[in-house]
Amino acid sequence: MTDPQSATVGDDHEPGTGLDHSQSIDRVLDAHESDPAGLASDEAARRCEQFGPNEFTRSAGRSTLRIFLAQFDSALIWVLLGAAILSVWADHTVDAVLIVVIVVANGVFGFVQDYRAEQSLESLRELTAPIATVRRDGEVTEVEATEIVPGDIVEIEAGDVVPADARVLETTSLEVDEASLTGESMPVAKSPDPVDADTPLAERESMVYKGTNVTRGRGVAVVTATGDDTEMGAIASELAATEETDTPLQAELDTVGRNLGIGVVGLAALVIPLLLLQDTPLVQAGLTAVSLAVAAVPEGLPAVVTLTLALGVRRMADENALVRRLPAVEALGSVDTICTDKTGTLTRGQMTVDRLWLPDDVIDIDDLGESLPARVANLLRAGALCNDATLDSGDPTEQALVAAAAEHGIDVDQLRADYPRTDEVPFSSERKWMGTVHEEGAYVKGAPQVVLEKSSQVRTEDGTVELTDELGDRINTQTTAFADDALRVLAIAEAEDAEAMAGDDLTFLGLVGMIDPPREEVADAIAATRRAGIDVKMITGDNVRTAAAIAESLGMGSEVMEGREVESMSDDELADLVETVDVFARTSPEHKVRILRALQAGDHIVAMTGDGVNDAPALKNADVGVAMGIRGTDVAKQASDVVLLDDNYATIGRAVERGRAIFDNIWKFVAYLLSANVAEVAIVFLASLFGYLVLPAVQLLWINLLTDGLPALALGTDPTSEDILDRPPRDPDQGIIDGEMLGVMGGTGAVTTTVMLGLMFFTLAGASSVTPYVTTMVFTGFVLLEFVKLYVIRWLRETPTLSNRWLGVAVGTSLALQLAVIYTPLNQYFETVPLSLADWGVLAGVVALCLPLYLAVAAFVRRSDSNRSDANQRTTVD
């Protein structure tokens, strides 16, 4: 056996340079100026001053004021504020007040949604052990974990959280659960022996890492890194450096806002000089500019989008998906790739006995009934007795053995009471077996090859027989077969007494194959997401064999790539490879982020699911980060956009469906609102060329916010199409304002503008100026046409006419509000007058004229838009 005190794997490496795992103990101690007796207190204090406390650097984050001010960083907002200033100058105070109220209300609403403290780094700090056991001044003492410094000698045992990254010096059956850091589902046995310099993080048996959990045994280690310099610290730094990114919808609406702002300024710069050249008074020209600004800006759009997303969030919460960022709902409905962790996400996150082997008899554990064959019962009882775990605690492998016995009618507590333990030989990484002695005999479990070497006979169906070479070969062959299926294999044997157990006179009972199995619902969920045109990729820290076996059982691709291969590739090479490879194993947090970015570079909208600390950087960098709520660490949850409250992968499918439905509804009301704005701008602009201001700013605000706003909001409750998951994802390069929407905006806008200008000239009847009667007719006619156009747009998107009762309520309420500003004292603020029955007859004729024209526009758009046809083509991903 190699002497860990002097051995070095790769002597060309200098110690203390991040390669401590490959160095001998002596060299590591020298590099960190320490020895097994520990540091002196004054030296520890000096190093604490030099290296700082053993905690992660705090991020300042955004202040409350900055979050609030950010709500007003928009071209649309500045255009509206400019319009408010012009309104005050023109002595139209009511218009100015309404504009400011709208701006402030939208800002407050956005602030409430954005105001959430960044908790990722705080959660990482909570993983630090509050108290650590160290050797100081030659004595063993306890100190706060934040006081640990490089060179400290720490002692750890089962139940402890490792306080810092450290090189192992001594071990006694030491095993550490590193799943939250590496994704490795099984606890890792630790040893003082150095390993190769290029050994992946998950396989560095000579190291323990800050924030991981000791599940068995005890050990002594020298601290090699603290705080930000630890592996957890690297994750913390990456999270702190990762900026929040906008979803496609956010980015597009921001672009729309900027373009509208630029367009309004340009239009005002054109109109005002034209009006002044026509001898229009300066105040009138200014009011026209204000009306154009108000007409062009969809004031209600931010609020309607936010409220619709909020409604979707509430529905998703009822379906066990908690959304932490509202726009993530829309983005989730647009993803075309889901990158998922394995451990605890695709799998249950706990070891389970899958198969048993008794000489020449492979038994699927699920096929066992209540009446156990004697040999099977004996094997399960032996596994439960040679065991330190309970159903609720202990090493995951031992827990699996206890659970298998309990699930098949064995009362483990009673069994242990009937056969009390009188002696034991604890497991160690050197022995690779554990033994317990009881009054009636002894039992051993451990690595198959080791237990086989200690056995002299085998229990068969016909009785106990001598262990021959041929029988030994069959056992080795079965061990390999189990391992090829990604099962962790243990051998179990019995002996007459402690002396026989210590020697090589065991009776071999059988093999137990265990695995962290896939969740029952995952295979169907993956199939469903693929039918929706979404590719699924597994990115795990687990080994290649396990990843391949799980992927195969879930119907995923068979090609597996290791993290070290990813590391050796250029960005361009990786971008090509991620298109075809579906399974990545032995990946680090950095590998996961690189894979995500490679997919995003290929114009994919990527969602990442996970539950561990090691998943947090990828969760935060993904277009949508989806964390597991039950098994997920706080770090993963805080770095994510969506948390699955039931840890059910199938919930992702429902979230995708909800996201797609929400986007469909958003498309409808964006088309509805923007088509109204196009018509408003055209009417105000063209009327101004004739010297008329036909729609004052206050009336335009009323149309945009209340008359249009309520029905648009009700569109958010439109039902989900049954075939929505049979559609392919939306093309990332195709914005929400697509060809279909432009056709609706242009076609219906032209119809509305032409008919409303005709109505204006009809009601003017040769007058030289616009009267309140004229503006009331055009104002009311416009509102009525908006209600008609609303149902035409829903028909265009194949939404049943009477499927949304809330829409009927919204239209009725808006119509009542319109009547209120005509027939109540409110009319003095809106520059309206009461209309007669004859006037309503004229407006009815306007509606009758426009309805078939709107339908003709919709029919033409549906036929001519090839993108819509492609989107309706149902696809299945093989």
Side-chain angles (χ1 to χ4, degrees):
M1 178 175 174
T2 303
D3 180 6
Q5 294 292 334
S6 59
T8 301
V9 179
D11 277 324
D12 54 324
H13 299 300
E14 287 298 321
T17 57
L19 296 170
D20 296 294
H21 57 279
S22 66
Q23 307 301 313
S24 69
I25 288 174
D26 289 339
R27 296 189 69 184
V28 173
L29 289 172
D30 288 344
H32 295 283
E33 300 179 7
S34 184
D35 64 68
L39 301 176
S41 295
D42 56 350
E43 174 62 14
R46 186 192 68 77
R47 294 190 187 190
C48 193
E49 284 289 328
Q50 177 185 355
F51 295 103
N54 180 30
E55 60 184 8
F56 305 124
T57 303
R58 293 180 177 270
S59 174
R62 291 191 303 168
S63 67
T64 302
L65 180 61
R66 285 185 62 191
I67 295 175
F68 181 73
L69 293 178
Q71 309 305 314
F72 304 96
D73 185 17
S74 164
L76 291 179
I77 296 299
W78 292 110
V79 168
L80 286 177
L81 290 177
I85 293 172
L86 281 175
S87 297
V88 172
W89 169 78
D91 201 26
H92 277 237
T93 308
V94 172
D95 292 2
V97 169
L98 278 174
I99 293 172
V100 171
V101 167
I102 295 307
V103 168
V104 173
N106 278 332
V108 170
F109 196 88
F111 169 77
V112 170
Q113 296 300 332
D114 285 351
Y115 183 68
R116 60 183 181 90
E118 182 55 64
Q119 296 294 322
S120 295
L121 299 183
E122 291 294 336
S123 297
L124 278 168
R125 292 189 192 98
E126 292 173 5
L127 292 177
T128 304
I131 298 296
T133 302
V134 300
R135 296 175 181 176
R136 294 267 176 94
D137 301 316
E139 297 180 355
V140 177
T141 185
E142 291 185 341
V143 299
E144 291 187 11
T146 55
E147 297 176 7
I148 295 292
V149 296
D152 257 327
I153 304 299
V154 297
E155 297 184 0
I156 54 177
E157 61 182 13
D160 288 347
V161 177
V162 178
D165 289 3
R167 171 67 162 85
V168 174
L169 305 181
E170 305 170 17
T171 63
T172 303
S173 305
L174 180 64
E175 291 188 2
V176 181
D177 179 1
E178 297 178 341
S180 65
L181 177 64
T182 67
E184 174 62 64
S185 57
M186 294 300 303
V188 180
K190 298 298 179 178
S191 166
D193 298 331
V195 296
D196 289 337
D198 60 353
T199 301
L201 186 69
E203 297 176 6
R204 294 177 187 172
E205 297 175 354
S206 59
M207 297 290 295
V208 290
Y209 295 103
K210 180 181 176 71
T212 58
N213 300 287
V214 181
T215 60
R216 167 186 274 176
R218 58 184 181 274
V220 179
V222 57
V223 173
T224 58
T226 59
D228 290 338
D229 295 327
T230 62
E231 294 295 334
M232 288 287 191
I235 295 175
S237 298
E238 185 164 359
L239 286 177
T242 303
E243 297 181 358
E244 296 285 353
T245 58
D246 288 341
T247 67
L249 179 61
Q250 283 179 306
E252 187 172 2
L253 291 181
D254 285 345
T255 300
V256 169
R258 286 193 298 272
N259 291 341
L260 284 174
I262 294 171
V264 167
V265 172
L267 198 58
L270 173 66
V271 165
I272 291 178
L274 286 176
L275 293 179
L276 293 177
L277 287 176
Q278 295 178 357
D279 297 327
T280 302
L282 181 60
V283 171
Q284 178 74 2
L287 288 175
T288 301
V290 170
S291 293
L292 279 172
V294 172
V297 176
E299 294 88 351
L301 186 58
V304 172
V305 170
T306 304
L307 288 171
T308 300
L309 291 174
L311 179 62
V313 166
R314 190 181 69 182
R315 288 179 172 177
M316 289 177 68
D318 293 339
E319 297 167 350
N320 292 315
L322 178 64
V323 177
R324 300 182 65 250
R325 293 177 60 239
L326 286 182
V329 180
E330 173 269 330
L332 188 59
S334 302
V335 298
D336 58 21
T337 306
I338 295 176
C339 294
T340 173
D341 182 39
K342 178 189 73 68
T343 306
T345 307
L346 298 178
T347 64
R348 298 178 190 172
Q350 63 184 45
M351 294 302 292
T352 303
V353 174
D354 183 69
R355 266 168 280 175
L356 306 175
W357 182 85
L358 296 95
D360 297 326
D361 194 4
V362 177
I363 299 173
D364 190 317
I365 196 75
D366 292 331
D367 292 338
L368 290 173
E370 295 182 1
S371 178
L372 295 178
R375 288 193 302 154
V376 174
N378 193 33
L379 182 68
L380 293 179
R381 280 196 297 266
L385 286 171
C386 187
N387 198 311
D388 292 326
T390 66
L391 284 172
D392 300 321
S393 63
D395 177 81
T397 301
E398 293 194 328
Q399 279 188 281
L401 292 172
V402 172
E407 288 170 5
H408 292 87
I410 298 174
D411 186 333
V412 176
D413 291 336
Q414 187 62 49
L415 176 69
R416 291 174 176 176
D418 293 340
Y419 300 96
R421 184 182 302 183
T422 59
D423 198 3
E424 67 179 280
V425 176
F427 177 87
S428 72
S429 56
E430 292 78 20
R431 278 190 300 270
K432 300 187 183 302
W433 62 272
M434 170 190 179
T436 59
V437 181
H438 307 264
E439 292 179 356
E440 89 298 343
Y443 299 97
V444 170
K445 75 173 191 298
Q449 187 61 42
V450 175
V451 174
L452 189 60
E453 289 175 357
K454 288 175 62 62
S455 299
S456 60
Q457 47 195 3
V458 177
R459 180 73 52 78
T460 68
E461 190 172 2
D462 297 327
T464 302
V465 300
E466 181 182 356
L467 176 61
T468 62
D469 290 341
E470 189 270 339
L471 188 52
D473 289 342
R474 294 210 303 269
I475 293 174
N476 285 328
T477 299
Q478 189 59 53
T479 299
T480 302
F482 274 8
D484 287 342
D485 288 339
L487 299 180
R488 180 172 185 177
V489 189
L490 286 180
I492 297 177
E494 64 181 6
E496 291 184 0
D497 51 33
E499 182 178 352
M501 181 183 74
D504 298 330
D505 196 20
L506 301 181
T507 299
F508 195 91
L509 298 180
L511 300 173
V512 179
M514 289 168 284
I515 194 171
D516 177 12
R519 295 176 180 274
E520 294 178 358
E521 71 280 355
V522 168
D524 289 341
I526 288 177
T529 50
R530 285 186 162 178
R531 283 196 301 273
I534 299 171
D535 198 11
V536 182
K537 298 184 183 295
M538 179 197 298
I539 308 178
T540 177
D542 219 331
N543 62 69
V544 172
R545 180 177 288 173
T546 302
I550 295 296
E552 183 179 359
S553 69
L554 295 175
M556 301 179 67
S558 59
E559 185 177 355
V560 183
M561 177 160 287
E562 280 195 85
R564 67 179 71 188
E565 297 176 76
V566 171
E567 197 168 310
S568 65
M569 290 183 172
S570 68
D571 290 344
D572 290 339
E573 290 173 330
L574 184 58
D576 291 335
L577 179 133
V578 295
E579 298 291 342
T580 56
V581 176
D582 288 336
V583 184
F584 297 86
R586 278 289 183 248
T587 56
S588 68
E590 293 76 17
H591 297 151
K592 293 185 179 185
V593 173
R594 277 201 71 199
I595 293 168
L596 279 170
R597 289 175 175 166
L599 287 164
Q600 291 168 330
D603 292 330
H604 292 286
I605 304 299
V606 186
M608 168 69 188
T609 72
D611 63 350
V613 175
N614 60 313
D615 298 320
L619 288 171
K620 195 164 185 180
N621 277 277
D623 295 290
V624 182
V626 184
M628 301 296 113
I630 298 175
R631 288 189 166 274
T633 61
D634 286 343
V635 182
K637 294 174 190 175
Q638 296 297 338
S640 68
D641 304 299
V642 179
V643 178
L644 303 185
L645 300 178
D646 56 0
D647 281 14
N648 189 338
Y649 188 90
T651 303
I652 298 175
R654 292 193 293 271
V656 168
E657 179 181 8
R658 181 64 58 195
R660 289 189 177 188
I662 289 172
F663 179 83
D664 206 36
N665 290 342
I666 288 176
W667 187 97
K668 284 183 281 190
F669 66 67
V670 169
Y672 176 58
L673 292 178
L674 292 185
S675 62
N677 289 101
V678 167
E680 289 167 1
V681 169
I683 291 168
V684 171
F685 175 71
L686 294 176
S688 69
L689 298 182
F690 292 97
Y692 302 122
L693 179 58
V694 69
L695 288 173
V698 66
Q699 293 181 3
L700 292 169
L701 279 172
W702 180 260
I703 293 172
N704 290 349
L705 291 172
L706 293 178
T707 308
D708 281 356
L710 288 177
L713 183 57
L715 282 176
T717 66
D718 260 358
T720 303
S721 300
E722 292 182 359
D723 63 345
I724 203 159
L725 281 183
D726 293 329
R727 306 175 189 174
R730 185 169 60 99
D731 185 348
D733 294 329
Q734 178 179 312
I736 190 170
I737 303 180
D738 52 14
E740 187 177 16
M741 186 179 293
L742 289 173
V744 171
M745 290 165 55
T748 61
V751 170
T752 304
T753 300
T754 302
V755 173
M756 286 298 97
L757 288 177
L759 179 62
M760 179 189 74
F761 285 112
F762 174 77
T763 52
L764 276 171
S768 59
S769 62
V770 172
T771 63
Y773 167 70
V774 174
T775 61
T776 303
M777 286 291 287
V778 175
F779 176 33
T780 305
F782 194 98
V783 168
L784 294 177
L785 291 185
E786 284 300 287
F787 296 155
V788 173
K789 183 181 63 180
L790 173 66
Y791 284 93
V792 172
I793 289 175
R794 294 179 74 241
W795 172 79
L796 175 63
R797 299 297 281 193
E798 301 180 1
T799 306
T801 303
L802 301 178
S803 61
N804 187 345
R805 61 188 177 90
W806 292 110
L807 185 61
V809 172
V811 170
T813 302
S814 296
L815 182 58
L817 291 171
Q818 181 66 21
L819 295 175
V821 300
I822 295 175
Y823 294 105
T824 73
L826 289 174
N827 57 18
Q828 61 182 311
Y829 301 108
F830 288 88
E831 304 177 29
T832 60
V833 295
L835 298 178
S836 66
L837 190 60
D839 296 328
W840 283 104
V842 172
L843 294 176
V846 167
V847 170
L849 172 65
C850 286
L851 176 58
L853 296 177
Y854 284 158
L855 290 172
V857 168
F860 177 78
V861 168
R862 177 181 288 180
R863 282 199 307 270
S864 62
D865 191 351
S866 59
N867 289 332
R868 176 62 175 165
S869 298
D870 291 340
N872 277 336
Q873 182 180 0
R874 307 300 178 243
T875 62
T876 300
V877 178
D878 293 330

